[in-house]
Amino acid sequence: MKKILALVLAGCLVVALMACGNKPAETTPADTKKEEAPTTTELVTDAKQEEMTSLSEEKVESYIMDSVTMASAPQSTLAPWGTKGGGTHCYMCYEMLYEMDAEANPYPILADATYEGTMMPGCDHEAGSGDYFIHIYDYIKDQKGNDVKASDVAYCFNYQFENAECSGWNDFLGAEAVDETTVKLSFSQEQNKLGQFNNVICRQFITSEKALSESANGFADDICGTGPYKFGSYTSGAELVLDKWDEYWQTNEDLRPQTQQANVKQIKIVFQSEASQLYLGLTTGALDIVRDLSADYVPEFMDGGQYADQFATYAYSQKFVNYLNPNCDEASIMSDLNMRLAVFNAINLEGLCLALGNKTPAAAYTSDYYSDYTMVDWAGVEGYNSKPDASKVKGYLEAAGYNGEPVVLLSGDSNQNDIMVAMLQQNGINATSLVQDRATVNTTLNDPTAWDLTIGMMAGDFIAQVWEHGFAQGNTPEGDRTSNFVRDDEWEALLQKALTPEGHTPETMLAWWQRAVDNGYTMGLFTAASYDIIPENTIYVCIGDKAMLLPGACIYADPAK
Amino acid sequence: MPLPIGGGTILLKRGRYITFTKGLEDMWKYVLKRLFWLIITTICVAILIFVVMWFVPGDPAQIIAGSDASMADIERVRAQLGLDKPFLVQLWDYMSGIFFHLDFGISYSYKVPVIQEFVTRLPRTVVLGLISVLITTCGGVPIGIMAARHRNTIRDQGVLFLAMIFISMPQFWFAEMLVLLFAQKLGWLPPFGISGDQFPNICYWILPIASSAISGIAMTARQTRSAVLETIRADFVTTARAKGLPERKVIYKHMLPNALIPVVSDIGTHLGMVISGSVIIESVFAFPGVGSYMLSGISSRDYPVVRGCILILATFSAIMMLLTDLAYGFLDPRIKAQYINYGAKGGRRK
């Protein structure tokens, strides 16, 4: 009996394994919907998106929703400190002096928009000086009723600089209150590089010194800001509840931008990142909003899908640009330019994007997400980013004298690694995959003997900043090389020039990329499109700084109508 | 006149009274010795985990500062976290903090004391774990006994078949199937979370407990079945039946205490893992427990979290092992005699 049972179970296992490998190639309705999903380029210029933008500018009155439940990646802390930004709740409960719009231009929130500063509304600055004077409103209050004055603003700046991770604040000397509504930010030199000053004023949440001093852990498990939402309840690792703050300090609606609106009475943020659970949460009514839903599930929420009557889909380009970097150190086989060019010409970007799903091939190490993308016709630049060329690969391998030495591809994503290794192997390159967790990858990258190629992604506020984050020589321990061991002072000089307002020109941008292509320093791979699932009665989706979806600031129609 | 003494033992002679109290005294010596070794074990685990985390690749300062941070930013973060100090200084700070001040440090990413966050999450994990163990025991033991009593029948084969399936089944897959059925198809239970407006709070615990307990029931049933089969043909069982005792009394009073030793061992192991939680269950159901806390600490190289959690878990597991060993003594007087002997002879066996 046992033998028969064992044989039956073994047979079931074999059949199950065979069935898994024999998926039919016919098109299913879900596949059809995937193919019909608009491309990233179409989404950016979609007429509906323009209509949505105009709705916001007209300040169309929204239906006030009772509650919205939104999924979010697990947050380890509620603290808003550090230039990396924090979670969605930070942008609903806290405010900054300025926030950035989609074009990366700062607009005043706590800074006095009615004050005509010499630099911009609310800000005085003398050219060549390292001092900046920000003027704030004199009626700002935090959610515990404390007045927020210039001294509180200065306190927050100094607190963050001393206690948190402030990337790019190397020149910051300190902040001090000049009077009750004027705060002076001092730097060792003028902050005139692209996005440099924005990285300070638009990366600092403000609260009162009193509330911050009283917090035992810098608001790690509590919230007290000046934003339109206040702290409701928090269960670490589970959920955060925010309530609309009815006594929001900015009562002048003309000075209150769309991002500071509160069209939902209660927002519940559930910390869940499992794709299947997010899908189940939407279908069971446990969730109303899910950001960046897995592409496998999106068709069910689009037109014609099973849940299209309950939800709408908002598609947008992510700001991350994925790249493939060769190790240019002498210890690596990739130090040979011919090897680098062989690898880059072996990569089929279209195929890669198709295999990964929901990706758009990058014309260069750029993305149309950024406002300075249109400065150059990237697709027209000749190079390996256009199409794979097997004959070129063969030629470059011969020129390099390649004899089948192993080429190690390092990253944190096994899926991407496997596909790219297969592509390289098809072209006669003996590629092997090395997949590690993120923390280990960052350490391994500093060892030039451990890897030959790496896949990563980077973002910024401008394309030039994306390049800086990925390739500035100052971001490495030695300071004389890039993260992929490129030692090219001329390339670095072009990058630094592109980061200045006067140097941020099509010519400089093109020169930097052309030098990268000529020397095989890097290859842009793809950008990703994301799909947010939102309530069906949403008529305007408000996306704030850092591409944060602000459910409270969205405009809703009456669901009963 | 016979005097009742705790445990139902009756004094018959003065000598036996002295023997009884001497036995208790030696038993306490055994327990105290085990507790002493528990402290030594805890210290060794603390040092070991510190050393292991020291050598694990990955720089927490770089993770916190971000991949695009400059070296100056990373060094500043490293200084803030105290990671720029020499190895021995960091080790001393860590050991003295734990053993003299019960301070496990402040989490790099959570920014709250490790012990505070741990204590907040612990009750949920303990409740989840204890209820799972209780269901495992109350379900698995009777099923195992039933299977053993009806050996080689349909009932026995059915139990074995189902046990094999549930042991082999991946826990996360089973959890997803339960969610699909009860949350999506039937709408009876919530898909994840620990509280909400749609359902009473207790409903949020049902699926995580069910997912966690099912494989335990299967394993306990198989373990019990094997143990009972070993004793079912023993002479004392035949004698008990020959005396005309009811079958229920034969099983539960005579057979089970002898068969339970390996089962108690199994349950003790489960209890030891109660507060470590199930990372898989906690991830699937967004259950904020100790397991997910530890996992987040490992992935972000949050040294205080990893060290603190592992140390607490190791200590708890050691205490559970001690309690399990004492339970053996309660079940089997021969084992108890060994403990007493061990305690009496200063740790040396006779």
Side-chain angles (χ1 to χ4, degrees), chain A residues 13 38 51 74 114 137 140 145-146 153 279 287 303 320 350 359 361 481:
Chain A
L13 183 65
E51 183 192 335
T114 62
Y137 297 107
I140 304 170
N146 304 307
V153 174
Y279 168 76
L287 293 172
D303 288 342
F320 287 101
E350 296 276 354
K359 307 284 188 277
R481 62 166 179 91

Side-chain angles (χ1 to χ4, degrees), chain A residues 497-513:
Chain A
K497 187 178 176 185
L499 290 168
T500 60
E502 56 277 0
H504 188 224
T505 60
E507 292 75 28
T508 311
M509 303 271 283
L510 185 59
W512 185 90
W513 174 241

Side-chain angles (χ1 to χ4, degrees), chain A residues 191-363:
Chain A
Q191 301 296 287
N192 55 5
K193 278 190 180 173
L194 203 65
Q196 196 176 21
F197 187 56
N198 292 352
N199 186 52
V200 177
I201 58 171
C202 301
R203 295 288 176 263
Q204 173 68 63
F205 290 110
I206 304 297
T207 185
S208 66
E209 178 181 348
K210 183 168 185 287
L212 182 52
S213 305
E214 288 171 358
S215 173
N217 45 34
F219 297 132
D221 53 7
D222 189 11
I223 295 173
C224 180
T226 61
Y229 284 91
K230 61 179 182 177
F231 181 77
S233 65
Y234 174 57
T235 305
S236 175
E239 64 183 31
L240 169 65
V241 177
L242 305 175
D243 296 316
K244 180 180 173 182
W245 185 28
D246 294 321
E247 290 88 35
Y248 180 58
W249 62 273
Q250 183 59 279
T251 51
N252 185 341
E253 283 300 321
D254 292 334
L255 297 175
R256 187 174 172 178
Q258 184 63 38
T259 52
Q260 309 314 110
Q261 299 296 321
N263 296 326
V264 179
K265 288 180 186 170
Q266 186 181 76
I267 298 172
K268 185 173 167 183
I269 300 173
V270 173
F271 302 130
Q272 173 62 275
S273 56
E274 284 287 326
S276 56
Q277 287 293 72
L278 293 175
Y279 168 76
L280 288 168
L282 289 167
T283 58
T284 57
L287 293 172
D288 299 308
I289 296 175
V290 169
R291 299 219 70 194
D292 197 15
L293 185 68
S294 171
D296 294 334
Y297 302 113
V298 169
E300 297 207 27
F301 300 93
M302 294 177 112
D303 288 342
Q306 192 178 353
Y307 303 101
D309 56 339
Q310 300 168 40
F311 296 95
T313 310
Y314 173 70
Y316 61 99
S317 291
Q318 287 188 8
K319 59 193 308 187
F320 287 101
V321 187
N322 288 257
Y323 58 77
L324 172 67
N325 274 0
N327 179 353
C328 298
D329 189 85
E330 286 173 359
S332 169
I333 194 173
M334 286 293 143
S335 60
D336 187 333
L337 172 60
N338 290 307
M339 279 301 301
R340 299 200 290 271
L341 294 175
V343 164
F344 291 155
N345 279 284
I347 301 298
N348 182 346
L349 285 182
E350 296 276 354
L352 178 65
C353 294
L354 203 63
L356 292 173
N358 225 23
K359 307 284 188 277
T360 303

Side-chain angles (χ1 to χ4, degrees), chain A residues 287-510:
Chain A
L287 293 172
D288 299 308
I289 296 175
V290 169
R291 299 219 70 194
D292 197 15
L293 185 68
S294 171
D296 294 334
Y297 302 113
V298 169
E300 297 207 27
F301 300 93
M302 294 177 112
D303 288 342
Q306 192 178 353
Y307 303 101
D309 56 339
Q310 300 168 40
F311 296 95
T313 310
Y314 173 70
Y316 61 99
S317 291
Q318 287 188 8
K319 59 193 308 187
F320 287 101
V321 187
N322 288 257
Y323 58 77
L324 172 67
N325 274 0
N327 179 353
C328 298
D329 189 85
E330 286 173 359
S332 169
I333 194 173
M334 286 293 143
S335 60
D336 187 333
L337 172 60
N338 290 307
M339 279 301 301
R340 299 200 290 271
L341 294 175
V343 164
F344 291 155
N345 279 284
I347 301 298
N348 182 346
L349 285 182
E350 296 276 354
L352 178 65
C353 294
L354 203 63
L356 292 173
N358 225 23
K359 307 284 188 277
T360 303
Y365 184 25
T366 57
S367 166
D368 56 6
Y369 173 92
Y370 297 99
S371 57
D372 53 348
Y373 175 79
T374 51
M375 289 171 81
V376 177
D377 174 23
W378 300 105
V381 178
E382 280 207 24
Y384 39 71
N385 256 77
S386 47
K387 276 186 180 175
D389 192 328
S391 59
K392 280 187 181 175
V393 174
K394 192 176 171 189
Y396 285 127
L397 288 177
E398 280 173 8
Y402 181 65
N403 287 321
E405 293 90 330
V407 172
V408 178
L409 174 59
L410 166 71
S411 85
D413 187 323
S414 61
N415 204 18
Q416 284 184 27
N417 257 34
D418 292 343
I419 295 168
M420 296 192 69
V421 161
M423 283 182 183
L424 294 175
Q425 287 176 347
Q426 277 176 356
N427 283 272
I429 300 172
N430 180 18
T432 58
S433 174
L434 177 60
V435 179
Q436 299 173 338
D437 68 294
R438 185 171 63 98
T440 313
V441 165
N442 286 339
T443 305
T444 307
L445 283 172
N446 286 324
D447 179 4
T449 63
W451 62 281
D452 300 300
L453 295 165
T454 187
I455 304 170
M457 59 181 181
M458 202 53 76
D461 298 318
F462 300 93
I463 287 176
Q465 264 194 352
V466 175
W467 295 346
E468 183 201 17
H469 291 159
F471 295 102
Q473 291 183 0
N475 291 346
T476 54
E478 296 85 347
D480 66 344
R481 62 166 179 91
T482 68
S483 57
N484 62 330
F485 298 93
V486 171
R487 293 178 172 87
D488 188 336
D489 292 336
E490 191 176 325
W491 199 42
E492 172 73 6
L494 282 170
L495 176 62
Q496 295 304 322
K497 187 178 176 185
L499 290 168
T500 60
E502 56 277 0
H504 188 224
T505 60
E507 292 75 28
T508 311
M509 303 271 283
L510 185 59

